[in-house]
Amino acid sequence: MALIPLEDTFADIVGKAQRGRRITDEQLAARAGISREDLLAVKGGKPLIPVIRRISRHLRLNPEAMEASARKTWYPKQPAFPRGFAMFNTPFGEQTVNSYLVWDSRTREAMAFDTGTDCQDMLDVIKAENLRLSCILITHAHRDHIADLERLAAATKAQVWLHELEPCSIPGARTFKGNVHFHAGSLAIKTLHTCGHTPGLTTFLVTGLAWPLAIVGDALFAGSMGGSDEHFEEQYRNNYEKILTLSNDTVIAPGHGPLTTLLEEKAHNPFLV
């Protein structure tokens, strides 16, 4: 099986940090002591390592992690769940988007997280594992994450839930506030309001599987984090206060890109190291 590419390149990370922290090209070049031409070359994807390291310091990015991103020398070790977990990766334009399914292997009760653009593989797993889907929990309501929600809800009769602050009207959906709990058999799912990328962006912390699991939507990616031109610092703070404080063995299941772990991100994510 082909590996899912990392969501962001080093150039994406530079642009995301620069926009979020509202630093112009002229300001960044002057602070880093580099030419504007070299900065634009890096932002265009040219891996000029000395330039990348210099600008990283002024964007509050870890230079070593940024160099590894530019050299493509890091990819997260993929955690394995022996049972009760499935990840689905569906196309969205030139990108892909993730959705997830967890279940209690004894009671067969299941919960879905987002739908991606095509829920057919998820429906196939539900049928093959003889599962009863009780809830569809939405990390956030951007189109790529809920594109096939109507079909999944109709096929399973599952309740749809999203945070009350998420600016989206989904017919029949129910809303929750932060720090509430859902259950699927012996699995417990706690909501963490990790807004910034969107007002209601929610991380779902699942316990009862082989590893603690944080389904984070677009709050955090393997080697990067979710962007927001207007609320970047809010997203950054929520990631630190609500996700990085979880146990190091927590598996991070992002809305895009591969699975990772909190320990991997603490060692290799330029925003977090």
Side-chain angles (χ1 to χ4, degrees), residues 2-19:
L3 294 177
I4 298 173
L6 295 175
E7 169 65 5
D8 288 338
T9 67
F10 71 91
D12 295 328
I13 296 169
V14 168
K16 189 172 287 185
Q18 187 182 351
R19 291 190 302 273

Side-chain angles (χ1 to χ4, degrees), residues 106-128:
R106 182 180 60 84
T107 67
R108 317 313 291 176
E109 185 175 359
M111 289 197 179
F113 302 85
D114 297 344
T115 69
T117 57
D118 185 349
C119 70
Q120 187 58 55
D121 286 349
M122 184 182 291
L123 287 171
D124 291 344
V125 171
I126 291 171
K127 181 178 180 180

Side-chain angles (χ1 to χ4, degrees), residues 191-213:
T191 67
L192 303 174
H193 187 207
T194 49
C195 56
H197 182 69
T198 69
L201 178 63
T202 298
T203 290
F204 296 98
L205 180 61
V206 183
T207 55
L209 296 170
W211 306 100
L213 173 68

Side-chain angles (χ1 to χ4, degrees), residues 227-255:
S228 172
D229 292 351
E230 298 298 323
H231 303 284
F232 179 85
E233 292 297 340
E234 181 181 25
Q235 184 66 74
Y236 187 77
R237 183 176 64 254
N238 277 319
N239 286 348
Y240 260 92
E241 294 179 354
K242 298 179 182 180
I243 298 178
L244 260 71
T245 52
L246 301 174
S247 61
N248 281 343
D249 61 345
T250 300
V251 174
I252 304 297

